[in-house]
Amino acid sequence: MTTGTNLQTNPQNLSTLRGTSIFASLTAGEDNEWLSRCHTRSLCAGESLVDYEDLSKDVFVVQSGEIRAVLRFTVGKEAILGTFRRGDLLGELSAIDDMARSASLMAVSDAVVTVIPYVVFHDILRNRPEVCLALMQLLSRRIRVMNERISELSFLDTKHRLYNTLLRLSRLRGDGGRERIISPPLVHAELAEHIGSSRETVSREMSKLIREQLIERTSRAIVLKNPVELSRRISRALEG
């Protein structure tokens, strides 16, 4: 992975920090003051923001595009820990505990992030207890999600982890029906990284779901035709 160098230090080019939930309590004046001490970074798809065990301590806010947190085990083997989009905060753990990065952060698409230096981040925390509380709530939500992922890996086999991931990554289609979609569609290799399996296993299970008419794959989306049945199968697996 390459390291990007496209930096912009003009505050006028930056989006507001208040667009991120943990900084929502900042006043306009505070927002402008701290934003003036930050800079932006533009990344191309596939470019690294930080690498695993990097010693940097900056915090990032996604302004556009998509950033993914991954753990690489061997060449071609990685686990997706989370995906971050506009308004999401990431990189905060190293700024809190002063330890090396616990995962690699990589741009999935062309992206722009606001880089909050370590010193600026701590200035905000010292001066605004509301931001501290919002940060704790964010970390609590992420711990809950991680607990769910651990439970999933502990109690579900591969195909049921796939069902659960399809449901978790999908959203209602928006036409008033029960169908859910994942758009843009994930390739089988990406789904495999989400569930800790191989691409071949995911391809085999996805083909079965298509034959059973539980899902449909188009060039623009994975359509969950019967999400209720997928949920039932997960429940039966947990009960059994």
PDB file of all heavy atoms in Angstrom, residues 170-195:
ATOM      1  N   SER A 170     -27.064  -4.834   4.683  1.00  0.00           N
ATOM      2  CA  SER A 170     -28.137  -4.417   3.785  1.00  0.00           C
ATOM      3  C   SER A 170     -28.998  -3.316   4.390  1.00  0.00           C
ATOM      4  O   SER A 170     -28.936  -3.037   5.585  1.00  0.00           O
ATOM      5  CB  SER A 170     -29.020  -5.622   3.426  1.00  0.00           C
ATOM      6  OG  SER A 170     -29.708  -6.094   4.587  1.00  0.00           O
ATOM      7  N   ARG A 171     -29.805  -2.717   3.546  1.00  0.00           N
ATOM      8  CA  ARG A 171     -30.782  -1.708   3.970  1.00  0.00           C
ATOM      9  C   ARG A 171     -32.090  -1.979   3.237  1.00  0.00           C
ATOM     10  O   ARG A 171     -32.110  -2.639   2.187  1.00  0.00           O
ATOM     11  CB  ARG A 171     -30.292  -0.293   3.648  1.00  0.00           C
ATOM     12  CG  ARG A 171     -29.950  -0.069   2.190  1.00  0.00           C
ATOM     13  CD  ARG A 171     -29.458   1.349   1.928  1.00  0.00           C
ATOM     14  NE  ARG A 171     -28.951   1.514   0.570  1.00  0.00           N
ATOM     15  CZ  ARG A 171     -29.691   1.716  -0.499  1.00  0.00           C
ATOM     16  NH1 ARG A 171     -31.027   1.769  -0.390  1.00  0.00           N
ATOM     17  NH2 ARG A 171     -29.149   1.854  -1.688  1.00  0.00           N
ATOM     18  N   LEU A 172     -33.189  -1.490   3.807  1.00  0.00           N
ATOM     19  CA  LEU A 172     -34.484  -1.661   3.145  1.00  0.00           C
ATOM     20  C   LEU A 172     -34.458  -1.039   1.761  1.00  0.00           C
ATOM     21  O   LEU A 172     -33.857   0.021   1.551  1.00  0.00           O
ATOM     22  CB  LEU A 172     -35.598  -1.035   3.986  1.00  0.00           C
ATOM     23  CG  LEU A 172     -36.052  -1.833   5.209  1.00  0.00           C
ATOM     24  CD1 LEU A 172     -37.013  -1.010   6.050  1.00  0.00           C
ATOM     25  CD2 LEU A 172     -36.702  -3.149   4.776  1.00  0.00           C
ATOM     26  N   ARG A 173     -35.113  -1.683   0.828  1.00  0.00           N
ATOM     27  CA  ARG A 173     -35.071  -1.241  -0.566  1.00  0.00           C
ATOM     28  C   ARG A 173     -35.706   0.122  -0.764  1.00  0.00           C
ATOM     29  O   ARG A 173     -35.335   0.862  -1.661  1.00  0.00           O
ATOM     30  CB  ARG A 173     -35.738  -2.285  -1.458  1.00  0.00           C
ATOM     31  CG  ARG A 173     -35.462  -2.096  -2.927  1.00  0.00           C
ATOM     32  CD  ARG A 173     -35.788  -3.332  -3.720  1.00  0.00           C
ATOM     33  NE  ARG A 173     -35.231  -3.261  -5.060  1.00  0.00           N
ATOM     34  CZ  ARG A 173     -35.197  -4.267  -5.903  1.00  0.00           C
ATOM     35  NH1 ARG A 173     -35.671  -5.451  -5.525  1.00  0.00           N
ATOM     36  NH2 ARG A 173     -34.681  -4.138  -7.109  1.00  0.00           N
ATOM     37  N   GLY A 174     -36.674   0.465   0.064  1.00  0.00           N
ATOM     38  CA  GLY A 174     -37.270   1.795  -0.008  1.00  0.00           C
ATOM     39  C   GLY A 174     -38.515   1.889  -0.861  1.00  0.00           C
ATOM     40  O   GLY A 174     -39.034   2.976  -1.113  1.00  0.00           O
ATOM     41  N   ASP A 175     -39.036   0.736  -1.313  1.00  0.00           N
ATOM     42  CA  ASP A 175     -40.251   0.748  -2.135  1.00  0.00           C
ATOM     43  C   ASP A 175     -41.471   0.283  -1.350  1.00  0.00           C
ATOM     44  O   ASP A 175     -42.522  -0.021  -1.927  1.00  0.00           O
ATOM     45  CB  ASP A 175     -40.058  -0.132  -3.376  1.00  0.00           C
ATOM     46  CG  ASP A 175     -39.674  -1.565  -3.032  1.00  0.00           C
ATOM     47  OD1 ASP A 175     -39.614  -1.884  -1.822  1.00  0.00           O
ATOM     48  OD2 ASP A 175     -39.440  -2.361  -3.954  1.00  0.00           O
ATOM     49  N   GLY A 176     -41.315   0.214  -0.030  1.00  0.00           N
ATOM     50  CA  GLY A 176     -42.430  -0.206   0.811  1.00  0.00           C
ATOM     51  C   GLY A 176     -42.511  -1.694   1.038  1.00  0.00           C
ATOM     52  O   GLY A 176     -43.331  -2.149   1.844  1.00  0.00           O
ATOM     53  N   GLY A 177     -41.678  -2.467   0.352  1.00  0.00           N
ATOM     54  CA  GLY A 177     -41.689  -3.915   0.515  1.00  0.00           C
ATOM     55  C   GLY A 177     -40.729  -4.366   1.596  1.00  0.00           C
ATOM     56  O   GLY A 177     -40.158  -3.563   2.332  1.00  0.00           O
ATOM     57  N   ARG A 178     -40.527  -5.692   1.673  1.00  0.00           N
ATOM     58  CA  ARG A 178     -39.664  -6.258   2.707  1.00  0.00           C
ATOM     59  C   ARG A 178     -38.258  -6.545   2.209  1.00  0.00           C
ATOM     60  O   ARG A 178     -37.394  -6.932   2.985  1.00  0.00           O
ATOM     61  CB  ARG A 178     -40.289  -7.539   3.255  1.00  0.00           C
ATOM     62  CG  ARG A 178     -41.604  -7.320   4.005  1.00  0.00           C
ATOM     63  CD  ARG A 178     -42.046  -8.610   4.672  1.00  0.00           C
ATOM     64  NE  ARG A 178     -42.210  -9.694   3.692  1.00  0.00           N
ATOM     65  CZ  ARG A 178     -42.461 -10.958   4.025  1.00  0.00           C
ATOM     66  NH1 ARG A 178     -42.571 -11.291   5.315  1.00  0.00           N
ATOM     67  NH2 ARG A 178     -42.603 -11.872   3.095  1.00  0.00           N
ATOM     68  N   GLU A 179     -38.040  -6.404   0.911  1.00  0.00           N
ATOM     69  CA  GLU A 179     -36.732  -6.718   0.365  1.00  0.00           C
ATOM     70  C   GLU A 179     -35.674  -5.730   0.858  1.00  0.00           C
ATOM     71  O   GLU A 179     -35.966  -4.556   1.111  1.00  0.00           O
ATOM     72  CB  GLU A 179     -36.764  -6.696  -1.164  1.00  0.00           C
ATOM     73  CG  GLU A 179     -37.605  -7.790  -1.775  1.00  0.00           C
ATOM     74  CD  GLU A 179     -37.562  -7.783  -3.294  1.00  0.00           C
ATOM     75  OE1 GLU A 179     -37.005  -6.828  -3.884  1.00  0.00           O
ATOM     76  OE2 GLU A 179     -38.101  -8.729  -3.893  1.00  0.00           O
ATOM     77  N   ARG A 180     -34.446  -6.247   1.006  1.00  0.00           N
ATOM     78  CA  ARG A 180     -33.316  -5.433   1.417  1.00  0.00           C
ATOM     79  C   ARG A 180     -32.243  -5.513   0.335  1.00  0.00           C
ATOM     80  O   ARG A 180     -32.178  -6.492  -0.409  1.00  0.00           O
ATOM     81  CB  ARG A 180     -32.754  -5.909   2.769  1.00  0.00           C
ATOM     82  CG  ARG A 180     -33.783  -5.879   3.897  1.00  0.00           C
ATOM     83  CD  ARG A 180     -33.188  -6.358   5.218  1.00  0.00           C
ATOM     84  NE  ARG A 180     -32.161  -5.435   5.700  1.00  0.00           N
ATOM     85  CZ  ARG A 180     -32.409  -4.376   6.464  1.00  0.00           C
ATOM     86  NH1 ARG A 180     -33.658  -4.091   6.828  1.00  0.00           N
ATOM     87  NH2 ARG A 180     -31.429  -3.596   6.875  1.00  0.00           N
ATOM     88  N   ILE A 181     -31.393  -4.483   0.255  1.00  0.00           N
ATOM     89  CA  ILE A 181     -30.358  -4.478  -0.776  1.00  0.00           C
ATOM     90  C   ILE A 181     -29.005  -4.093  -0.189  1.00  0.00           C
ATOM     91  O   ILE A 181     -28.921  -3.402   0.827  1.00  0.00           O
ATOM     92  CB  ILE A 181     -30.697  -3.513  -1.940  1.00  0.00           C
ATOM     93  CG1 ILE A 181     -30.751  -2.054  -1.448  1.00  0.00           C
ATOM     94  CG2 ILE A 181     -31.995  -3.909  -2.623  1.00  0.00           C
ATOM     95  CD1 ILE A 181     -30.832  -1.049  -2.583  1.00  0.00           C
ATOM     96  N   ILE A 182     -27.972  -4.573  -0.841  1.00  0.00           N
ATOM     97  CA  ILE A 182     -26.601  -4.126  -0.598  1.00  0.00           C
ATOM     98  C   ILE A 182     -26.129  -3.493  -1.888  1.00  0.00           C
ATOM     99  O   ILE A 182     -25.966  -4.175  -2.906  1.00  0.00           O
ATOM    100  CB  ILE A 182     -25.681  -5.298  -0.215  1.00  0.00           C
ATOM    101  CG1 ILE A 182     -26.187  -5.993   1.039  1.00  0.00           C
ATOM    102  CG2 ILE A 182     -24.244  -4.813  -0.019  1.00  0.00           C
ATOM    103  CD1 ILE A 182     -25.435  -7.274   1.374  1.00  0.00           C
ATOM    104  N   SER A 183     -25.972  -2.189  -1.877  1.00  0.00           N
ATOM    105  CA  SER A 183     -25.604  -1.468  -3.096  1.00  0.00           C
ATOM    106  C   SER A 183     -24.558  -0.407  -2.773  1.00  0.00           C
ATOM    107  O   SER A 183     -24.758   0.397  -1.850  1.00  0.00           O
ATOM    108  CB  SER A 183     -26.849  -0.810  -3.723  1.00  0.00           C
ATOM    109  OG  SER A 183     -26.504  -0.119  -4.909  1.00  0.00           O
ATOM    110  N   PRO A 184     -23.439  -0.405  -3.518  1.00  0.00           N
ATOM    111  CA  PRO A 184     -23.078  -1.335  -4.595  1.00  0.00           C
ATOM    112  C   PRO A 184     -22.824  -2.724  -4.051  1.00  0.00           C
ATOM    113  O   PRO A 184     -22.512  -2.887  -2.871  1.00  0.00           O
ATOM    114  CB  PRO A 184     -21.805  -0.695  -5.173  1.00  0.00           C
ATOM    115  CG  PRO A 184     -21.216   0.080  -4.035  1.00  0.00           C
ATOM    116  CD  PRO A 184     -22.392   0.610  -3.261  1.00  0.00           C
ATOM    117  N   PRO A 185     -22.944  -3.755  -4.914  1.00  0.00           N
ATOM    118  CA  PRO A 185     -22.800  -5.128  -4.428  1.00  0.00           C
ATOM    119  C   PRO A 185     -21.355  -5.446  -4.051  1.00  0.00           C
ATOM    120  O   PRO A 185     -20.417  -4.968  -4.685  1.00  0.00           O
ATOM    121  CB  PRO A 185     -23.246  -5.963  -5.638  1.00  0.00           C
ATOM    122  CG  PRO A 185     -22.958  -5.089  -6.821  1.00  0.00           C
ATOM    123  CD  PRO A 185     -23.215  -3.685  -6.360  1.00  0.00           C
ATOM    124  N   LEU A 186     -21.183  -6.235  -3.015  1.00  0.00           N
ATOM    125  CA  LEU A 186     -19.853  -6.694  -2.620  1.00  0.00           C
ATOM    126  C   LEU A 186     -19.489  -7.932  -3.434  1.00  0.00           C
ATOM    127  O   LEU A 186     -20.349  -8.788  -3.672  1.00  0.00           O
ATOM    128  CB  LEU A 186     -19.798  -7.036  -1.131  1.00  0.00           C
ATOM    129  CG  LEU A 186     -19.521  -5.892  -0.150  1.00  0.00           C
ATOM    130  CD1 LEU A 186     -20.708  -4.924  -0.113  1.00  0.00           C
ATOM    131  CD2 LEU A 186     -19.239  -6.431   1.246  1.00  0.00           C
ATOM    132  N   VAL A 187     -18.237  -8.023  -3.851  1.00  0.00           N
ATOM    133  CA  VAL A 187     -17.772  -9.236  -4.517  1.00  0.00           C
ATOM    134  C   VAL A 187     -17.591 -10.319  -3.465  1.00  0.00           C
ATOM    135  O   VAL A 187     -17.524 -10.043  -2.264  1.00  0.00           O
ATOM    136  CB  VAL A 187     -16.454  -8.997  -5.284  1.00  0.00           C
ATOM    137  CG1 VAL A 187     -16.649  -7.943  -6.365  1.00  0.00           C
ATOM    138  CG2 VAL A 187     -15.333  -8.586  -4.344  1.00  0.00           C
ATOM    139  N   HIS A 188     -17.515 -11.560  -3.902  1.00  0.00           N
ATOM    140  CA  HIS A 188     -17.450 -12.676  -2.968  1.00  0.00           C
ATOM    141  C   HIS A 188     -16.203 -12.625  -2.088  1.00  0.00           C
ATOM    142  O   HIS A 188     -16.244 -13.048  -0.925  1.00  0.00           O
ATOM    143  CB  HIS A 188     -17.514 -13.991  -3.738  1.00  0.00           C
ATOM    144  CG  HIS A 188     -18.855 -14.221  -4.364  1.00  0.00           C
ATOM    145  ND1 HIS A 188     -19.127 -15.282  -5.209  1.00  0.00           N
ATOM    146  CD2 HIS A 188     -20.026 -13.527  -4.266  1.00  0.00           C
ATOM    147  CE1 HIS A 188     -20.392 -15.235  -5.609  1.00  0.00           C
ATOM    148  NE2 HIS A 188     -20.956 -14.180  -5.046  1.00  0.00           N
ATOM    149  N   ALA A 189     -15.110 -12.118  -2.620  1.00  0.00           N
ATOM    150  CA  ALA A 189     -13.882 -12.019  -1.818  1.00  0.00           C
ATOM    151  C   ALA A 189     -14.084 -11.072  -0.637  1.00  0.00           C
ATOM    152  O   ALA A 189     -13.584 -11.325   0.471  1.00  0.00           O
ATOM    153  CB  ALA A 189     -12.723 -11.548  -2.686  1.00  0.00           C
ATOM    154  N   GLU A 190     -14.818  -9.986  -0.853  1.00  0.00           N
ATOM    155  CA  GLU A 190     -15.079  -9.037   0.233  1.00  0.00           C
ATOM    156  C   GLU A 190     -15.986  -9.655   1.286  1.00  0.00           C
ATOM    157  O   GLU A 190     -15.763  -9.487   2.499  1.00  0.00           O
ATOM    158  CB  GLU A 190     -15.720  -7.766  -0.323  1.00  0.00           C
ATOM    159  CG  GLU A 190     -14.782  -6.898  -1.141  1.00  0.00           C
ATOM    160  CD  GLU A 190     -15.480  -5.676  -1.680  1.00  0.00           C
ATOM    161  OE1 GLU A 190     -16.404  -5.829  -2.507  1.00  0.00           O
ATOM    162  OE2 GLU A 190     -15.119  -4.557  -1.282  1.00  0.00           O
ATOM    163  N   LEU A 191     -17.019 -10.371   0.848  1.00  0.00           N
ATOM    164  CA  LEU A 191     -17.898 -11.048   1.804  1.00  0.00           C
ATOM    165  C   LEU A 191     -17.115 -12.072   2.616  1.00  0.00           C
ATOM    166  O   LEU A 191     -17.333 -12.228   3.821  1.00  0.00           O
ATOM    167  CB  LEU A 191     -19.055 -11.725   1.062  1.00  0.00           C
ATOM    168  CG  LEU A 191     -20.157 -10.799   0.538  1.00  0.00           C
ATOM    169  CD1 LEU A 191     -21.101 -11.563  -0.375  1.00  0.00           C
ATOM    170  CD2 LEU A 191     -20.932 -10.168   1.690  1.00  0.00           C
ATOM    171  N   ALA A 192     -16.179 -12.755   1.972  1.00  0.00           N
ATOM    172  CA  ALA A 192     -15.351 -13.729   2.672  1.00  0.00           C
ATOM    173  C   ALA A 192     -14.525 -13.068   3.771  1.00  0.00           C
ATOM    174  O   ALA A 192     -14.352 -13.622   4.863  1.00  0.00           O
ATOM    175  CB  ALA A 192     -14.442 -14.453   1.677  1.00  0.00           C
ATOM    176  N   GLU A 193     -14.021 -11.865   3.488  1.00  0.00           N
ATOM    177  CA  GLU A 193     -13.239 -11.147   4.495  1.00  0.00           C
ATOM    178  C   GLU A 193     -14.111 -10.742   5.676  1.00  0.00           C
ATOM    179  O   GLU A 193     -13.647 -10.716   6.824  1.00  0.00           O
ATOM    180  CB  GLU A 193     -12.591  -9.916   3.855  1.00  0.00           C
ATOM    181  CG  GLU A 193     -11.484 -10.268   2.869  1.00  0.00           C
ATOM    182  CD  GLU A 193     -11.107  -9.114   1.962  1.00  0.00           C
ATOM    183  OE1 GLU A 193     -11.660  -8.006   2.154  1.00  0.00           O
ATOM    184  OE2 GLU A 193     -10.286  -9.311   1.061  1.00  0.00           O
ATOM    185  N   HIS A 194     -15.363 -10.449   5.415  1.00  0.00           N
ATOM    186  CA  HIS A 194     -16.277 -10.070   6.499  1.00  0.00           C
ATOM    187  C   HIS A 194     -16.565 -11.232   7.442  1.00  0.00           C
ATOM    188  O   HIS A 194     -16.750 -11.021   8.645  1.00  0.00           O
ATOM    189  CB  HIS A 194     -17.598  -9.554   5.927  1.00  0.00           C
ATOM    190  CG  HIS A 194     -17.593  -8.103   5.576  1.00  0.00           C
ATOM    191  ND1 HIS A 194     -17.733  -7.117   6.524  1.00  0.00           N
ATOM    192  CD2 HIS A 194     -17.473  -7.465   4.386  1.00  0.00           C
ATOM    193  CE1 HIS A 194     -17.699  -5.924   5.932  1.00  0.00           C
ATOM    194  NE2 HIS A 194     -17.540  -6.113   4.647  1.00  0.00           N
ATOM    195  N   ILE A 195     -16.623 -12.461   6.906  1.00  0.00           N
ATOM    196  CA  ILE A 195     -17.044 -13.591   7.737  1.00  0.00           C
ATOM    197  C   ILE A 195     -15.893 -14.521   8.106  1.00  0.00           C
ATOM    198  O   ILE A 195     -16.100 -15.540   8.768  1.00  0.00           O
ATOM    199  CB  ILE A 195     -18.166 -14.402   7.055  1.00  0.00           C
ATOM    200  CG1 ILE A 195     -17.653 -15.099   5.793  1.00  0.00           C
ATOM    201  CG2 ILE A 195     -19.353 -13.513   6.733  1.00  0.00           C
ATOM    202  CD1 ILE A 195     -18.676 -16.039   5.173  1.00  0.00           C
TER     203      ILE A 195
END
